[in-house]
Amino acid sequence: MTARQALWLANPRTWAASACPALFGVCYCWVRGYPLSVIKAFALTTACILLQSAVNTLNDYYDYMKGTDSAEDPLEASDAVLIYENLNPKSAFWLGLAFLAAGGALGLACCTGAVPLLVGLAGAAVVVLYSAGPLPISYLPLGELISGVVMGGLIPLGIAGCADGKWHPAVLVWSLPLILGISLIMMTNNGCDVEKDRRAARRTLPALLGRESTVVLYRAQSVLWLLLLAVLPVLLLGMPGLIGTLLLALCWRCFRALLGFRLEPENRIRQMKGITAANLLGNGAYVAALAVSLLAGVR
């Protein structure tokens, strides 16, 4: 396995789904005055990215072994390394475990007490069960919800717990835009794969609802996500939160594109890039609002 192949399996284009919640969790701790050091913040962010790389790599491995992905699917070479690169699938399996071990060890080193450890164990269990086991999470109509809650909610909750060893459930309310945005990434992927998932006996939410009903739900969730991104920073942070709303207005074209997605398989690549960019820009604007609030001394 080359370094390029390993990077493709880790799929850096999706890292926004873990990096944004991690940076949000860090900024949340600092805004609320929790004792989180810069070194620990960097280590926790890196751990989250490593764990997502594990999910991406192991998911590619299990999809390949089960024959879910094929050369006929609308996938770029970098999204289907095992198909186009003639790579031994066991190499991908061991790489995924290496990402999982490295992320877990780094997160464990940052734990302060039992609270972040429990959150981390829950997240690690989802990483493994998402693709593995007799009934993987990715084969159930819960994938969108679980991916959103774990990455958008548990990551900030775990980081806040690592700061002082305490539960901070309020962070889950602050994390709602992240939860919605990340779940839309999964809905985009599964919405484009309805026919393929049905052939593979995957009972994802779009496979059960059908594409037309999924598109209606997708657009409703996109509007709700946009509203939360625009309003929640102001409600929680006051005037400094307006920076998030203003930054959001600058990337309105990206969100308008989401409302035009039909989740067709032939446009899968373009639509996946679109929802990933929307998460990076939209949730990034939210993180920026917290950073500005931190500089303004908001608590």
Side-chain angles (χ1 to χ4, degrees), residues 123-136:
V126 171
V127 169
V128 174
L129 296 176
Y130 185 81
S131 302
L135 191 60

Side-chain angles (χ1 to χ4, degrees), residues 106-132:
L106 200 53
L108 185 62
C110 296
C111 281
T112 304
V115 169
L117 179 60
L118 291 174
V119 174
L121 288 174
V126 171
V127 169
V128 174
L129 296 176
Y130 185 81
S131 302

Side-chain angles (χ1 to χ4, degrees), residues 127-151:
V127 169
V128 174
L129 296 176
Y130 185 81
S131 302
L135 191 60
I137 293 172
S138 63
Y139 276 62
L140 302 174
L142 301 173
E144 292 81 6
L145 176 63
I146 291 177
S147 63
V149 170
V150 169
M151 300 185 71

